[in-house]
Amino acid sequence: MSAIRRFRIAAIPADGVGQEVVAAGRQVLDALAAASAGALAFAFDWQEFEWGCAYYGRTGRMMAEDGLEVLKDFDAIYFGAVGWPGVPDYVSLWGLRLAICQNFDQWANVRPVRFLPGVRSPLRKAGDTELDWVVVRENSEGEYAGMGGRNFAGRGPGGEIAVQSALFTEVGCERIMRFAFDLARTRRRRKVSSVTKSNAQQYGMVLWDEVFTRVARDYPDVETESVLVDAMSAKFVLRPEDLSVVVASNLHADILSDLGSALAGSLGLAASANLNPERRFPSMFEPVHGSAPDIAGQGVANPVGAVGSAALMLGHLGLPEQAARLHAAIEATTAAGILTRDLGGTASTDDVTKALIDALHA
Ligand SMILES: NC(=O)c1ccc[n+]([C@@H]2O[C@H](COP(=O)([O-])OP(=O)(O)OC[C@H]3O[C@@H](n4cnc5c(N)ncnc54)[C@H](O)[C@@H]3O)[C@@H](O)[C@H]2O)c1
């Protein structure tokens, strides 16, 4: 009898709807594991951490002091969303999510934009055009390097100034671009679009462009283009069929991927993987959306983004067929019209979760 493969997963639901969608994702993943058998059997050993804004209220910290030490031995991290009124967003984000991403060198953030059957896109052409692209976000530096300062002395009340610098290193640019080109080679359309703003930002973004041109030479089989971020925003709406892999800096990709998920129908659908491709540290899988305080606690959060992130986690853990099964279950569920409120439906989080599990067994 072959041994069952076990994966140690750290669950960090954190705040608001993060708690609801992580609970849903765990149920779906456990159902998938329970249905596995024989030589392909696998199971998840979950450990849940109660870090987040409520923990901050009790302890003054967003995560335990030895949190990173504890997390580093897990096979993966399954994350919800962080942020809650009463705690400044920069405190909650830097204290938990960015602390994990940056200390675990999760330098590649992969955010697929998927159009699902049964979900109405605000894009008219989505009805008859195949649309499918991936945003690859530089996740370790750029505009989120945390460099800067404020409160410069001597300017008096009302005269304060603040500086927020963006950091672009040749190593950081090169690794994310090679990642994007390697990903493009696995896709039907081998194309990488680089997002830039080098017309206005003549240092960091010019370095970004130069590295893109240099790396592209090693991938002569991959089409390329370099597009200013403002033009790329328009292209997402007007010519998305021309996109396959979009590589962008930390801030540009953060904004563009929200636009992409809105175009696919809702922010609640979008999945993401924060990868440490060298596997020195665990990677982290999370929906793109935040804690949605406006709908938290009502049982109406869309769990599809979190479940899609679980599929990305399965791929990373070496279970691509299981990831494909999960995607098929998502498509069957949306195609059957079992949709939460953000998509115009009436289903609850639990209804969608149950439908996903039923679809796995179908
Ligand atoms: N990765 C993260 O942890 C992350 C990302 C973005 C924002 N945030 C934090 O989340 C908090 C709220 O931020 P925000 O309102 O700008 O963004 P948000 O993503 O939480 O919400 C934006 C809109 O999308 C809707 N929405 C989000 N997730 C949904 C889901 N699963 N199902 C249905 N609808 C959903 C919300 O109801 C809201 O109308 C802030 O504290 C912010 O800092 C965290």
Side-chain angles (χ1 to χ4, degrees), residues 258-290:
D258 267 32
L259 175 58
S261 50
L263 293 173
S266 166
L267 199 46
L269 296 172
S272 90
N274 299 284
L275 300 175
N276 173 243
E278 299 84 6
R279 295 180 187 256
R280 282 174 55 222
F281 300 102
S283 293
M284 180 159 75
F285 301 84
E286 55 164 353
V288 167
H289 65 75

Side-chain angles (χ1 to χ4, degrees), residues 53-98:
C53 288
Y55 183 88
Y56 180 85
R58 294 197 304 277
T59 65
R61 304 183 57 89
M62 287 298 296
M63 69 193 297
E65 201 163 354
D66 64 348
L68 293 169
E69 196 52 34
V70 173
L71 288 177
K72 81 177 177 5
D73 294 324
F74 281 85
D75 293 315
I77 302 166
Y78 190 48
F79 193 87
V82 69
W84 197 251
V87 180
D89 283 343
Y90 71 88
V91 170
S92 55
L93 195 66
W94 278 97
L96 188 57
R97 187 184 168 277
L98 286 177

Side-chain angles (χ1 to χ4, degrees), residues 106-158:
Q106 295 166 346
W107 52 265
N109 183 199
V110 178
R111 296 181 158 192
V113 180
R114 277 178 175 258
F115 288 72
L116 295 168
V119 174
R120 187 120 59 95
S121 161
L123 284 182
R124 230 175 314 146
K125 64 170 59 164
D128 56 12
T129 314
E130 200 182 319
L131 300 175
D132 161 34
W133 72 97
V134 185
V135 176
V136 171
R137 170 184 180 189
E138 201 298 313
N139 212 28
S140 67
E141 51 179 47
E143 307 85 346
Y144 294 4
M147 296 170 65
R150 55 177 285 187
N151 221 353
F152 289 82
R155 291 178 185 268

